[in-house]
Amino acid sequence: MAKKRPQTKAAKAQVTNGEIPVVGAREPCPCGSGRRYKACHGRAAAHAVTELVQRPFEGLPGECDWVALRELVPAATVPLTLKDGLPEGVPSVTLATVLPMAWPALRRDDGSVLLALQNDSSSGDLARDLADTLQRALETEPGSPVTPRRVPAEGPRLQELLDPNGDFSPVVHTGFEFWIPESADNSNPEVTASLERANAAAIPTVKLTGVDSSYWCETPDKNHLRWVMPHPEEKLLDALARLHAAGTSSLGENTRLVGSFRAHGLMVPVWDLPTSMSAEDCEKPAAEFAERLAAALATDAPLTPEERRARGGLTNRQVTLS
């Protein structure tokens, strides 16, 4: 029997890079190469976006608090101000740390919008992902969640949609009851179950009032203070090392600076606190530490050998979150 000759498919028209649309990661690349999108132009697009966003919230009011709400705070909300004002039928837009069932956003029955911050990023640029979700939420039918999707590589970022002069004042909640308006029907079993799980997992957290972007939290064995700081990393490490070597990096008796997180291009120093130390107890020592830190940041003298050792210890105890 003669062997069948393999059929050849007609070659797809090749398109230029500028015309290639975004598709699902496992779908054939629209360029016609025959490879999956993620292994072809999707890989280059994702890499380009990743290179773009060392600090995705840079330029937004309250950048440090954006980082804190993304990485550290379980339950919080912030009213957002849009650059071009609210569209008709949208009474308000509110940023939330998370929403039920991990929805990216929700258009409530009254037309208001809740935008979730702690969802996964599909493009590598959180500011672009959130802007895409926000735009879709503003056009979604009231009473509907916004579903996840792969975000186009090109599109507006939050910095283009939000008022650069708008206020950014987070309100930290003890639980996630803000998901459900008081007037709403609480009969949705999925939302109820999601609310119970979220409340059970939430770590008690309080935002300090006397210093910026500083959050106290309670855990079973000890409490912590986690403080997102806007200073350049190398400069901040030098300043913390000077204070640590001088014995002035703590927040009082039985407290100590234990290391730091690195998140979205900013440093987050972390202190261990005794379980008896409340958020209110942290206010005065945190304000005093801020004064010592400002003086250390203003110093340009070379580090002493002891300060260099302290800096090395702080660097070794640094954990990158994102």
Side-chain angles (χ1 to χ4, degrees), residues 84-99:
D84 297 327
L86 293 169
E88 184 178 355
V90 180
S92 64
V93 175
T94 302
L95 183 72
T97 46
V98 292
L99 291 175

Side-chain angles (χ1 to χ4, degrees), residues 83-315:
K83 184 180 294 186
D84 297 327
L86 293 169
E88 184 178 355
V90 180
S92 64
V93 175
T94 302
L95 183 72
T97 46
V98 292
L99 291 175
M101 276 79 76
W103 289 330
L106 172 65
R107 183 89 183 271
R108 282 177 161 165
D109 291 335
D110 66 354
S112 61
V113 168
L114 286 177
L115 176 67
L117 180 57
Q118 294 183 7
N119 289 58
D120 292 337
S121 170
S122 65
S123 72
D125 182 353
L126 278 169
R128 181 168 285 113
D129 289 350
L130 289 164
D132 179 80
T133 302
L134 175 56
Q135 287 185 313
R136 290 193 291 136
L138 294 172
E139 299 173 355
T140 295
E141 287 294 320
S144 305
V146 175
T147 57
R149 79 167 184 178
R150 188 174 182 83
V151 176
E154 295 183 359
R157 308 178 73 233
L158 278 178
Q159 288 82 347
E160 299 167 56
L161 302 183
L162 301 184
D163 184 350
N165 299 314
D167 184 40
F168 194 83
S169 301
V171 176
V172 178
H173 303 277
T174 57
F176 296 87
E177 283 72 20
F178 64 84
W179 286 352
I180 305 173
E182 292 182 4
S183 59
D185 178 10
N186 296 353
S187 61
N188 186 321
E190 290 184 320
V191 171
T192 300
S194 185
L195 176 63
E196 291 174 354
R197 289 193 300 270
N199 280 342
I203 296 174
T205 301
V206 177
K207 186 179 189 298
L208 299 195
T209 61
V211 293
D212 293 334
S213 311
S214 183
Y215 293 81
W216 170 95
C217 67
E218 180 183 13
T219 61
D221 297 328
K222 62 185 70 173
N223 298 340
H224 304 280
L225 187 72
R226 302 181 290 191
W227 193 338
V228 187
M229 296 187 173
H231 316 292
E233 181 174 325
E234 296 302 313
K235 187 77 173 175
L236 180 54
L237 279 170
D238 283 353
L240 292 174
R242 296 181 197 278
L243 297 178
H244 203 64
T248 57
S249 64
S250 75
L251 299 176
E253 187 177 359
N254 297 323
T255 72
R256 67 189 186 101
L257 175 65
V258 292
S260 63
F261 298 128
R262 182 190 289 113
H264 306 293
L266 298 181
M267 267 187 65
V268 188
V270 178
W271 285 262
D272 278 353
L273 313 172
T275 56
S276 60
M277 191 170 187
S278 67
E280 185 177 358
D281 295 334
C282 289
E283 293 283 2
K284 182 178 178 181
E288 293 171 346
F289 177 85
E291 294 180 359
R292 298 196 298 272
L293 179 64
L297 286 166
T299 301
D300 293 324
L303 296 181
T304 66
E306 185 177 7
E307 290 168 346
R308 286 198 298 271
R309 286 192 294 272
R311 192 186 195 280
L314 291 171
T315 302

Side-chain angles (χ1 to χ4, degrees), residues 35-48:
R35 291 183 292 172
R36 291 178 177 176
Y37 180 71
K38 70 176 182 179
C40 193
H41 283 86
R43 178 169 54 188
H47 178 72

